[in-house]
Amino acid sequence: MVNEQVVRDTVKRMLDSKIDNQTIASTLMDIGLSDGDAQRIIQEVSSAQPAPQSQTPSMARQQFGNVNLMKEEFETHAQTEALQDTAVHNVLDMHGQKLDEVHAKLDEVKSAVSNMPAAAQDPAILSKLNELQSKMEEVGATANATKDLMEKILEINRKMLTDLEARR
């Protein structure tokens, strides 16, 4: 997250430079603050600010450096989000592969049981197998539902990241 003291110092310098509030708010929104937060910070800094003084070239360079610092922090945050999304995607891929393996093994068991001779099929064993099969179907359905949910979460995270990137 952006260091609030750096933001306040930068807003103070921008106000000292006679930059209008709309431009300051736009800059603050570019680094990821909401419009309300940007207006609040501008109001707090402008009300606490003493009489304006003339800006020196060194102040302008320092102000530009602080804006660049805030942008770098925002870019670092965006990169962190992208790495987290990639990690989630990788976990989902591994989970999907494991689900495929479980389904393949379940199919093998099912075909082996169905190929058993009729004489070997004891009613107690058949009821246990039916119970096992229904539980395996429940596990498979739960796993698929979890995978779908995680994919939706990943898609929402991607949209949020895209929106954040678009605001830059």
Side-chain angles (χ1 to χ4, degrees):
M1 210 56 189
V2 179
N3 184 337
E4 190 168 332
Q5 187 58 44
V6 171
V7 172
R8 288 179 182 281
D9 291 344
T10 302
V11 168
K12 181 181 182 309
R13 287 186 190 94
M14 292 172 109
L15 288 170
D16 289 344
S17 301
K18 306 267 190 257
I19 296 174
D20 63 299
N21 288 358
Q22 185 178 8
T23 304
I24 296 171
S26 174
T27 303
L28 293 176
M29 286 187 287
D30 285 346
I31 62 164
L33 294 177
S34 69
D35 184 41
D37 288 340
Q39 294 299 331
R40 178 184 54 81
I41 290 173
I42 292 169
Q43 182 64 32
E44 288 174 2
V45 170
S46 64
S47 65
Q49 187 173 0
Q53 32 179 304
S54 64
Q55 181 180 11
T56 64
S58 65
M59 289 175 64
R61 281 192 298 273
Q62 187 175 12
Q63 174 187 356
F64 183 72
N66 285 340
V67 170
N68 284 339
L69 178 65
M70 291 187 319
K71 285 183 179 180
E72 287 174 12
E73 286 181 24
F74 176 74
E75 288 171 1
T76 301
H77 181 67
Q79 289 172 350
T80 303
E81 292 261 339
L83 289 174
Q84 289 172 345
D85 286 347
T86 302
V88 168
H89 186 64
N90 289 339
V91 168
L92 283 174
D93 286 344
M94 290 186 329
H95 186 67
Q97 290 172 353
K98 292 196 186 264
L99 282 175
D100 291 341
E101 291 172 11
V102 168
H103 284 290
K105 289 178 182 179
L106 182 59
D107 288 340
E108 288 175 16
V109 169
K110 187 177 180 179
S111 85
V113 169
S114 65
N115 291 335
M116 288 176 57
Q121 294 180 349
D122 182 43
I125 293 174
L126 286 177
S127 69
K128 290 286 185 181
L129 285 175
N130 287 335
E131 184 179 313
L132 179 62
Q133 183 178 3
S134 67
K135 286 184 181 180
M136 288 302 293
E137 289 172 354
E138 288 177 18
V139 168
T142 302
N144 284 334
T146 302
K147 181 182 175 189
D148 290 342
L149 181 63
M150 293 301 288
E151 287 175 343
K152 288 178 183 176
I153 289 172
L154 179 61
E155 185 61 34
I156 290 170
N157 283 345
R158 283 185 183 150
K159 285 180 183 177
M160 289 172 51
L161 183 59
T162 302
D163 290 344
L164 288 173
E165 293 279 337
R167 288 184 189 173
R168 283 197 316 168

